[in-house]
Amino acid sequence: MSENADQLRLILGLKLKTLRQEQGRPLRDVAEAAGVSISYLSEIEKGKKYPKPEKLIELASALGTTYDDLVSLRVEDELQDIKTAIASPFLREFPFELFGVEPEDVIRLVAGKPEEGSALVRTFLEVMRHYDLRNEHFLFAALRSYQQMHRNYFPDIEAQAEAFRAAAGFDVEARLTDEDLRGALAERFGITVDLDAIPGHPDLDRLRSIFRAPAGPRRKRNRAMGAVLHVNPKLMPSQRAFVYAREIGYHHLGLTDRPTTSTWIEPKSFDQVLNHFKASYFAGALLMPRERVRRDLTALFAGEQWDPKQILRGLDAYRVTPEMLYYRLTEVIPTDFGLDEIYFMRFNHRLGTDEYKLTKVFNMSRVPVPHGISALEHYCRRWVSMETLRALEDAQQTIGNPPPVVRAQRVRFVNDAAEFFAIAVARPLALKPGVNSVVSLGFRIDADFKRVVRWWDDPDVPVSKVNLTCERCPLNDCAVRAAPPTVLRHDARIERQREALAVLMNGAALG
């Protein structure tokens, strides 16, 4: 919502309702005194209407206050936290409308009882500060929820990618190269690619790309004509291809509110986050056409046994990174194969350390998987992600520059009946020397998975019990435990205290 007008409406409505309730007067009483209808006054209090000056004068008189006090942004101390919430970037930028809610609804919820509402807002702000939660966390969380609502499948973008592929003369079976897409950027949108500028700026050497819009007036027919896409030359050809395909997506889909850089520096709005996702989705669909992916997956799932070489062949066939391939699978598999309970995870590991950082997770299952639980806890080392990273590091010590390492695992949760078939691929990161990355895709082993995938119970695939973190795990014979079960012990102690207290209280009652 626009900052100034909406703040004025919401704060005016809040002040009116607070004054009226302090005086113990019903809507009808104030509305008659001010010469307005009850419904109109209700709309003002809800922050939906802002009356003309003459009506504001009448409202101020009816409530025994002045026009200046009523229209100013100054509020009493007990309402200050709600005013802070109204002005916060979170309220202005969070896409409430995607979930059938308006920002005004949130304010009305907390302002129905101003004192209690202020306490709620104050608590929320303190939690944000305590856990260092920034607005971008909420924006990306909203995006993940939006994806889940749509099963991570967007047919309109799929159709647009197919249309562009046909218009550009790219055969559906063709493996698009970075040069193919760079040529399409120049020919169809007038965008020049530069590979020299980023290395000259050390603070930008981990960015994948920077988009520099054309200076001066732009032609209406091609608004990107004269723009420059600065690309990091350290990227692999497959990564450059994705950058070019995503840039095509921005312009083919007409997405103008967009981030300048990739990787993110700081998202400025949900529209930027959403448009970046749409352009990235377009890129995946352009590089890996849905029909071809569905055909290849059908063949993979129909095999007699699990074959890790099929993953490597897929990476080569589409000329993509493991992350691009796996994320594309999360878009195709739920809709085309009916396997909804899947997850995607990405961990980074710095060589020579025991540090495993979870950098991305997208969970479409109903079972909790590792997610930023606490910076002080250690993710379970028994997950196939960790095993694959260890295998890659071992290979690097002997081979130097090995191909991606692929591992599979049947995951059984220690405290849950759920079981997953997880497939992980690990490789070094091009822009972070000394850091390896692993992506894993997990399928819940349910009736649908057993129906679709013939090798779901391949005896050569190891079975492992896992937990979320070492601190929460009861396994005593774990050879790769990274920390004692401190959280588990704390919870057990609390439970023993509850039981002892119940015994004491029951005994006292009986006596």
Side-chain angles (χ1 to χ4, degrees), residues 24 53 86 105 117 131 172 260 307 378 407 428 464 468:
I86 291 172
D105 297 328
Y131 288 98
V172 71
T260 301
D307 181 8
H378 299 74
R407 292 284 188 275
S464 181
L468 296 181

Side-chain angles (χ1 to χ4, degrees), residues 119-160:
L120 177 62
V121 171
R122 186 163 53 248
T123 301
F124 175 73
L125 296 174
E126 287 177 359
V127 169
M128 289 184 65
R129 285 192 293 268
H130 181 71
Y131 288 98
D132 192 27
L133 297 175
R134 297 184 297 274
N135 196 46
E136 63 193 72
H137 295 145
F138 293 97
L139 299 183
F140 287 117
L143 175 63
R144 288 191 294 271
S145 297
Y146 176 72
Q147 292 173 255
Q148 290 166 348
M149 286 168 54
H150 293 270
R151 301 177 74 197
N152 204 31
Y153 181 72
F154 297 87
D156 54 334
I157 304 179
E158 297 278 352
Q160 289 284 1

